[in-house]
């Protein structure tokens, strides 16, 4: 049996009942909303990622946003026809990208913010009841301060939005 006791070690129980600690790093591949709140500076109502369901350090992350009717932006966007604003879809993709950027092993610390967006296209409307699945892949990092990612947001396997997201470190 193995349980996490620290970020970089495990407590192993042998068949004889002895406890041994090893320095084998544990690579975390999923994050709960509580863990995401420790990684990102966002909070309700602007935290737009409910869960990270797949994570490859320094490469990519897949996040989920469960879109619900009681979110504040639906009161005015649009009355009688609730649509998730495109800027919030892009922001949700950026927050998934933020998980990748903040977890880079050589990250100097600080806050990664949007530095630009390119080639963003919206392909499908996102409405309450949808589950937005966002895949963000790291394209490059320069000087440990700037990063570029490719983001995709899908609902039921259909492309909802895609684009390139740039990040900059603010210290």
């Amino acid at each position: 049996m193995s349980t996490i006791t620290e970020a970089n070690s495990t407590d192993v129980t042998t068949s004889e009942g002895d406890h041994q600690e090893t320095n084998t790093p544990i690579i975390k591949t999923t994050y709960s909303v509580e863990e995401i709140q420790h990684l990102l500076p966002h909070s309700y109502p602007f935290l737009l990622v409910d869960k990270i369901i797949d994570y490859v350090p320094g490469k990519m992350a897949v996040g989920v946003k469960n879109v619900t009717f009681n979110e504040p932006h639906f009161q005015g966007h649009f009355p009688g026809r609730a649509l998730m604003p495109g800027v919030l879809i892009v922001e949700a993709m950026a927050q998934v990208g933020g998980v990748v950027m903040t977890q880079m092993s050589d990250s100097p610390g600080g806050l990664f913010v949007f530095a630009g967006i390119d080639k963003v296209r919206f392909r499908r409307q996102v409405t309450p009841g949808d589950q937005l699945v966002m895949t963000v892949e790291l394209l490059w990092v320069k000087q440990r301060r700037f990063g570029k990612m490719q983001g995709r947001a899908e609902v039921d396997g259909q492309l909802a939005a895609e684009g390139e997201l740039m990040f900059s470190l603010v210290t």
Side-chain angles (χ1 to χ4, degrees), residues 8-114:
N8 294 326
S9 67
T10 57
D11 183 27
V12 179
T13 304
T14 64
S15 58
E16 292 83 31
D18 297 331
H19 290 284
Q20 299 174 351
E21 196 167 298
T22 66
N23 284 334
T24 306
I26 303 293
I27 298 175
K28 190 155 184 55
T29 60
T30 62
Y31 290 91
S32 68
V33 70
E34 292 85 6
E35 292 168 318
I36 294 167
Q37 287 176 316
H38 284 32
L39 298 174
L40 300 178
H42 304 83
S43 60
Y44 177 83
F46 215 69
L47 181 62
L48 300 173
V49 182
D50 295 323
K51 189 174 189 178
I52 298 294
I53 59 172
D54 191 16
Y55 170 70
V56 179
K59 294 187 189 293
M60 60 85 70
V62 179
V64 172
K65 163 72 176 143
N66 295 307
V67 182
T68 62
F69 188 73
N70 60 347
E71 294 175 48
H73 52 267
F74 287 127
Q75 288 181 351
H77 201 269
F78 294 100
R81 179 140 187 203
L83 298 176
M84 185 173 182
V87 295
L88 294 182
I89 297 169
V90 173
E91 174 64 27
M93 288 191 295
Q95 289 180 15
V96 174
V99 170
V100 175
M101 295 300 289
T102 60
Q103 295 299 291
M104 305 233 354
S105 61
D106 59 350
S107 178
L111 176 64
F112 282 97
V113 296
F114 251 143

